[in-house]
Amino acid sequence: MGKITIWPWGFNYIIDDRLLNSKLFMKRVAGIGLILLVLLSGIFVFEYSKFNHGKFHLVFCDVGQGDAIFIRTPKGSDILIDGGPDDSVLSCLAGHMPFWDRDLELVILTHPHADHLNGLISVSKRYRIISFATENLKNRSRGFSALMEILEKQNIKISYIYAGDRFVLRDGVTIEIVGPSKEFIQKTSPDGFIGERREFASVESLVEYKNFVVLLTGDSQAVELKEAIFEGLLKDIDALHVPHHGSKTGLSSEILDFVKPELAIISVDSNNRYGHPDKSIHEMLRNKGIKILRTDRDGEIEILSDGASWGVKRFNFFH
């Protein structure tokens, strides 16, 4: 064991060099800890400023052939509309929520099809869902049963929504349900179930923040949107979520002339087996001078608005 002799003021001190090494080690640990604290503080400040700057965020997640739309309001409420076909929605949420935030104030399932609901199973395991809303229709798939079981175990109440219902958030963001009506559901799904062919009711909603308006459509069809127009529930919009991934039965020229969107977003996977989006829909949008963005080409699509103006970000890292 080594010794070091030090001679202050004529007194003889014998100090174990392991003690000096220990003190040096502690200083280094303290220094590293201080650096880490500064770095973490910087990350926290960056994350806070990134997600809390008073703007409205609307993100069309790139989840392949499916839908998942994330909303973060100016005061930090988090809303998810559909979850896509798998857990790829989690990376979208992680990229648009602070890392410490694990609460989703509202989750809306537009309809119980696998490409809209399966991702919510993964979401429910990582995030706390405070409110859950959907249309009053069931599906016989395993995914739907699994999601309902999770919601029941977590004591999450399901609210069934219809045309005319409305969510009003503390910062002035509103989500107004414009379809389907109870009558439409009873007409198209008289047994209370939704399959993959004949039954096609899907939650449609107008999301507004001051002067910015977007219409979200799920897998709705033109007949349901026409009913919303007839009932006086639709109006001029800024952006349109194209129904049913661009299916040829989702839109009509008359609907577009009524709502007058500047931007159309299609959530779709490249080379999908359904042929979405249909060429006729693409041509219809283009002929009316409506800008088209697609998740299969543009990646994640984010709209930001201060309520007076709005702009678009595209995250096409892998496209």
Side-chain angles (χ1 to χ4, degrees):
M1 182 174 64
K3 300 285 185 179
I4 297 177
T5 302
I6 301 178
W7 298 90
W9 304 295
F11 295 95
N12 187 5
Y13 286 85
I14 307 297
I15 302 177
D16 193 329
D17 60 354
R18 287 180 299 182
L19 180 60
L20 288 179
N21 290 338
S22 176
K23 288 182 177 179
L24 181 61
F25 174 75
M26 292 304 296
K27 286 182 179 179
R28 288 177 178 173
V29 169
I32 293 171
L34 181 60
I35 292 171
L36 290 175
L37 181 61
V38 171
L39 288 174
L40 287 173
S41 298
I43 292 171
F44 181 86
V45 171
F46 173 78
E47 288 275 302
Y48 186 85
S49 61
K50 177 182 176 182
F51 298 108
N52 296 275
H53 50 67
K55 288 187 178 181
F56 172 85
H57 293 246
L58 175 68
V59 183
F60 295 87
C61 300
D62 181 14
V63 293
Q65 186 65 19
D67 271 341
I69 301 168
F70 173 70
I71 297 169
R72 186 168 176 86
T73 73
K75 289 189 178 179
S77 293
D78 299 307
I79 300 163
L80 181 63
I81 300 176
D82 289 333
D86 51 40
D87 63 2
S88 58
V89 65
L90 296 178
S91 62
C92 182
L93 294 178
H96 297 280
M97 292 176 66
F99 64 85
W100 62 84
D101 190 350
R102 284 293 181 268
D103 288 346
L104 289 167
E105 277 71 26
L106 174 62
V107 171
I108 296 176
L109 173 63
T110 60
H111 64 291
H113 280 172
D115 58 332
H116 292 249
L117 75 84
N118 281 358
L120 294 179
I121 297 171
S122 299
V123 168
S124 66
K125 295 175 181 178
R126 186 169 298 187
Y127 294 87
R128 184 170 72 106
I129 297 172
I130 296 174
S131 300
F132 186 92
T134 188
E135 61 183 7
N136 193 8
L137 288 175
K138 296 177 176 60
N139 187 289
R140 294 182 174 88
S141 67
R142 291 182 181 179
F144 179 73
S145 298
L147 179 61
M148 293 300 104
E149 184 178 341
I150 290 171
L151 295 177
E152 184 179 358
K153 285 182 178 179
Q154 295 181 357
N155 294 315
I156 299 170
K157 181 183 176 182
I158 300 174
S159 298
Y160 295 110
I161 49 180
Y162 302 94
D165 290 338
R166 204 166 185 239
F167 298 93
V168 181
L169 286 82
R170 56 181 179 165
D171 38 20
V173 174
T174 63
I175 302 174
E176 184 170 359
I177 308 304
V178 298
S181 63
K182 286 184 180 180
E183 293 76 17
F184 189 88
I185 288 177
Q186 289 168 358
K187 181 171 60 177
T188 58
S189 299
D191 62 352
F193 281 83
I194 186 168
E196 296 291 336
R197 295 179 181 174
R198 290 175 298 172
E199 304 88 3
F200 43 78
S202 180
V203 172
E204 303 164 333
S205 58
L206 276 179
V207 182
E208 299 185 50
Y209 176 56
K210 297 181 181 178
N211 294 326
F212 175 74
V213 186
V214 60
L215 174 59
L216 306 179
T217 58
D219 273 5
S220 67
Q221 302 296 304
V223 62
E224 188 179 337
L225 286 170
K226 287 178 180 178
E227 181 181 272
I229 292 173
F230 180 79
E231 295 296 332
L233 296 173
L234 288 183
K235 58 183 179 180
D236 286 5
I237 62 175
D238 296 295
L240 169 68
H241 170 230
V242 176
H244 201 182
H245 320 290
S247 165
K248 65 180 179 180
T249 56
L251 277 178
S252 70
S253 181
E254 293 77 17
I255 292 170
L256 290 175
D257 289 341
F258 187 89
V259 296
K260 301 180 179 68
E262 296 179 35
L263 172 68
I265 301 99
I266 305 175
S267 182
V268 67
D269 189 28
S270 59
N271 301 317
N272 64 84
R273 62 191 177 97
Y274 307 102
H276 295 156
D278 190 82
K279 290 181 180 179
S280 64
I281 296 297
H282 226 276
E283 290 176 3
M284 187 189 305
L285 293 166
R286 189 170 58 247
N287 290 340
K288 292 182 181 296
I290 301 168
K291 182 175 179 58
I292 304 168
L293 293 177
R294 298 168 44 164
T295 56
D296 62 332
R297 296 178 179 176
D298 301 293
E300 278 183 10
I301 299 163
E302 180 178 20
I303 298 176
L304 288 87
S305 176
D306 59 6
S309 60
W310 57 280
V312 179
K313 287 183 179 180
R314 287 175 284 177
F315 300 85
N316 56 345
F317 303 116
F318 304 104
H319 296 272

